[in-house]
Amino acid sequence: MSARPLQGVRILDLTQIWAGPLATRILADLGAEVIKVEPPLGRGPAVVTIRGGIYPEGGPGERPWRRQGLFNKLNRNKRSLAIDLKDDEGRGVFLQLVAECDVVIDNFSARAMPSLGLDYDQLCEVNPRIIAVSMPGFGMDGPYRDWVALGPSLEPMTGLTALMGYGPDAPRVTSMAIPDAMGGVTAAAAVLTALQRREETGEGALVDLSQHEGAVAFLGEHLIEYQLTGATPGRRGSRHPVFAPQGVYRCLGDDEWIALSVRHNDDWRALGRVAGAAWAGDARFATPEARREHHDALDALLEAWTSRCEPRPLMERLQAAGVPAGVVLSAPGLLADPHLRARGFWVELDQPDVGPRPYPGTPIHITGQPAAGDWQPAPDLGEHNAAVLGGLLGLTSEEIDGLRARGVIVDRPPG
Amino acid sequence: MSLRVLEVGGGPAAGYCGKLFARWGAEVIAVQRAEPLMASPADRSLDHYLHHGKQRVALDYTREEGRDLLDRLAGQCDVLVTDEPARIIEPLRLLEAGEAGPPAVRVAITPFGLDGPYRDWEATPATLLALGGYTALMGDPGRAPLTLPIRYLEYQSGQLAYTAALAAHLGGRSVPDAPTVIDIGMLEVLASLSQFTTVMWTYAGRIRSRHGNRWENLHPTTLLPCADGWYGVNALPAFWPAYCYLIGHPELVDDPRFASNADRMEHADELDAIAFEAFEGKTRRQLLAEAQEQWRVPIGAALTFPELLEDDHLAARGFWEAADVDGKRVRMPGSGFRLAGRRSEPAE
């Protein structure tokens, strides 16, 4: 097996929750050595008494910090160094590590790294070639710099809510904190941009990534169109500005649905053949313009038909006729999907304290490289303290024991 | 960056990938099979957003002569990215080294990837979002689920293609004299980026579903009305006491109806009614000021397009890039990130 492309790139990862860990998971999947730098309480206290988190059967258990599903999903292929950066000695050790690394990334608030004495200029003092990525919600300057931002509160600020909903008076949110996923992928792209730039110029960089701006970029063409026409597309349910019909239609069963799109007249004729219904020849629906005009009537007729059909056989019949159609899958259907299984997308990792579970794989398949052949489950808290400090900094076991005794590094949460 | 990139196909996914390369200084040549139709402002807006700063070639590479020209162009480039369907990519050998020499990296972005049972299925973002587990989560219980009204899937795929192409370029060729081929399936992009849809099932045996503007497992995390529009709140347990002060009811901190997140979910209607009463006379700007600057509660206003374009913060950060479209000066979103040196050096 050839080396993964980012082998040799070493990243100090201070990120938490979703967007940041997603970015570094992408980079770790591509071969980067990611050292997750965690505060002693970064995964909560040792004993969890309040329900919360996504735990396997049995709940939090004796070691809840090893059983959190979202954490384990996002932190595979990483190493863990649990160190107190608020402690002078911990900060000193961290700076020694900066000298050995290519990238430092955080998703704290904009004031957090400077308050730790770890702003970009301070990192540059020990490593002028360092790439420092900060990804606060609203970026590192500007009037909202210090605002608290989490995906669900950030989403309306991006303009997406102006487009999302069943109609003009009924805005809806994605309920998925989608700016986090946008920010995470944007951050991975930013790291590669800075690495390529360093390759060409020899210079490190400070990357100022506003998760808000990363998400607004997804609305670019809509914002341009608004300035040209003075009109916003508005909220139109699942309809498409051109494809007609497009929608999500009820199928036979409990809460079963199918999404389908008719892109052009060829799709329309094919749909008509599959449906075998009189409405397929109705003059009201003969052209895309006419179908858009009579979308309500068409939706009612379509759903009267789809609601008598099992979703998956219907999808297969429509696909066989060349019509884009997809059943609305929830988690069990997604895990069982024959295409994703045939592509080997799900990766089973045997997570300590959890047991084997399938996790989403990578969408990036590179020739000659098995997607997940050497993947490792998410690390335990501080699992690699000794390996990182001994291997990279040459600290002796006595020195490492001393750091542990003084509480500078930990291998289980306090409490 | 001193790379030359060949973008083949012209769809939004390859277009966004190429846009990122162009934004960061690469020479990008966008090859499309025909001159794009610019029938509407929507077409022109999308075209300008994606292809600003690129060179463009209209070339019918499904014909032999066009294919030869494409091959020669590809041989002069570091990266080729295409979002043509798999059934076009294969016969045209878009991912194979041509006689003019291979670009080091070739990336295919297709709906389902280059193999597997759905390889040649037809797809739109709406059908992929359904298959990818997203549609099931959006909308109201009992009503039809919703799809996403933006090009989320295409742009995320484009960003991942950009990331993977640069990684492969930096990492060097895996096989001498052969391109490194990267296969990105858009359905897998969705499945890989989902939040906790699958782990909630594989860990806890619970199926995530749609809850209107509320959240699966947290409250108050929702979208609510105020005097002049809507606002989103995400008061995780750590923010609960501050939220009580924000809504003017500090006594709720100790109210047993709302003692834990589970309690707050159970009494969500009561809690939202209290918030509604507290905020119905306040504007979004008043709310933002109180929430963010006084109580530090994560609240965001649902901004309209004109409000977004006039937003002080985005203006202060120099986010917008000026462009001329149809003879009109417009503001276009800039990059989601900027690079700078030490404090004395300006950002790019």
Side-chain angles (χ1 to χ4, degrees), chain A residues 319-335:
Chain A
Q319 285 288 353
V323 180
V327 294
V328 174
L329 293 180
S330 52
L334 194 58
L335 266 297

Side-chain angles (χ1 to χ4, degrees), chain A residues 73 119 193 206 217 227 359, chain B residues 49 162 194-195 203 328 343:
Chain A
K73 188 194 79 158
D119 72 10
T193 304
L206 170 63
Q227 294 170 85
Y359 294 86
Chain B
Y49 187 53
Y162 170 82
S194 72
Q195 190 185 23
Y203 269 56
K328 188 170 183 179
R343 283 192 189 112

